[in-house]
Amino acid sequence: MKQIALQNPVSRHIRENFSIYAFVIALFLMGVIFGAVIVNSLSIAQKEDLFFYLKQFFGQVSTGKLAAPEDLFRSSFLHNLKFLGLIWLLGISIIGLPLILVLLFLKGLVVGFSIGFLVNQMKWGGFLLSFVTVLPQNLLIIPLFIFTSVMAVMFSLNLIRKIFMKQAAHFAFFQLFLKYCSVLLAVFIASLAAACIEAYLSPQLMQAVMKIIH
């Protein structure tokens, strides 16, 4: 019974905002598909240039010449936190609503392009590499991006209703803002976990896969 009680707020939240979640997820998937399509539109010269740098990187991975895990952790954490923090900040401003959707689409585009390029250039080996380089941290980051974007859109829409539709009554702004701030705390904690995966787990998995495909 306690487990059901804990699940109820989450399931209720998703059910009440299902249309926003569906739109945000669809937009992200469109970005993934568009990113994969872009790979096929690149010229042979562009693909060769990109693959040259990619081979250099994987050469460093196979010889263990990557940056220290602490540096990778810091870089990954700051990158994700800046991106997610920007989405959170845009939710406070009404004019930031379209930009939230653009950033989410761009995140999907980067993921789709990364996977699509690896598979296009390295076939089965590229699929294995994308599985260990892109997937592990993104299993946490992608849901976090979607959740943060949904909360930012919801907060922005509530501001629009208050300002333009004069819904001052029954609008507990301070309580709503505190709840929105808790989203930033969740983003911070989840970004730490994702950075740990990318810095300490993904390089080890990459090295293992490089030994298999070479």
Side-chain angles (χ1 to χ4, degrees):
M1 294 296 292
K2 288 184 179 180
Q3 185 177 2
I4 295 174
L6 288 172
Q7 290 177 348
N8 280 338
V10 177
S11 60
R12 185 170 62 250
H13 165 74
I14 295 174
R15 190 167 55 249
E16 290 174 352
N17 303 285
F18 180 78
S19 59
I20 299 178
Y21 271 100
F23 176 75
V24 165
I25 292 172
L27 184 65
F28 176 80
L29 291 176
M30 285 175 60
V32 172
I33 294 170
F34 192 70
V37 170
I38 288 177
V39 174
N40 293 323
S41 67
L42 294 176
S43 67
I44 295 176
Q46 288 173 323
K47 289 181 181 179
E48 288 178 348
D49 288 341
L50 286 173
F51 191 55
F52 171 77
Y53 292 110
L54 192 64
K55 284 193 295 184
Q56 284 188 322
F57 171 73
F58 286 136
Q60 292 177 335
V61 171
S62 60
T63 56
K65 294 181 179 178
L66 279 175
E70 295 79 11
D71 294 332
L72 289 173
F73 172 83
R74 184 164 52 252
S75 175
S76 173
F77 173 69
L78 291 176
H79 172 74
N80 289 325
L81 190 62
K82 286 177 183 177
F83 212 107
L84 289 163
L86 179 58
I87 292 176
W88 186 88
L89 284 173
L90 289 171
I92 300 176
S93 63
I94 296 173
I95 59 173
L97 180 57
L99 294 177
I100 295 170
L101 304 178
V102 170
L103 288 175
L104 184 67
F105 180 83
L106 289 176
K107 175 62 177 176
L109 188 146
V110 169
V111 171
F113 183 86
S114 301
I115 296 174
F117 185 76
L118 284 170
V119 173
N120 181 271
Q121 294 295 303
M122 304 177 68
K123 310 307 177 188
W124 176 247
F127 175 78
L128 286 177
L129 280 172
S130 65
F131 190 80
V132 300
T133 58
V134 180
L135 184 62
Q137 62 270 17
N138 277 298
L139 285 175
L140 182 58
I141 285 295
I142 290 173
L144 186 60
F145 265 88
I146 291 172
F147 171 71
T148 306
S149 297
V150 168
M151 297 303 293
V153 168
M154 287 172 54
F155 191 83
S156 186
L157 289 175
N158 279 321
L159 288 179
I160 291 172
R161 293 190 189 101
K162 176 177 174 57
I163 295 172
F164 295 104
M165 300 181 184
K166 307 301 182 182
Q167 294 184 355
H170 310 296
F171 187 85
F173 176 80
F174 185 70
Q175 183 179 358
L176 188 67
F177 183 71
L178 286 179
K179 183 179 178 181
Y180 190 55
C181 287
S182 68
V183 173
L184 189 61
L185 178 61
V187 164
F188 180 85
I189 295 171
S191 294
L192 285 172
C196 284
I197 294 173
E198 189 168 356
Y200 296 98
L201 177 61
S202 291
Q204 301 301 321
L205 294 174
M206 276 193 288
Q207 287 182 343
V209 170
M210 291 300 294
K211 292 177 182 178
I212 294 173
I213 64 178
H214 280 84

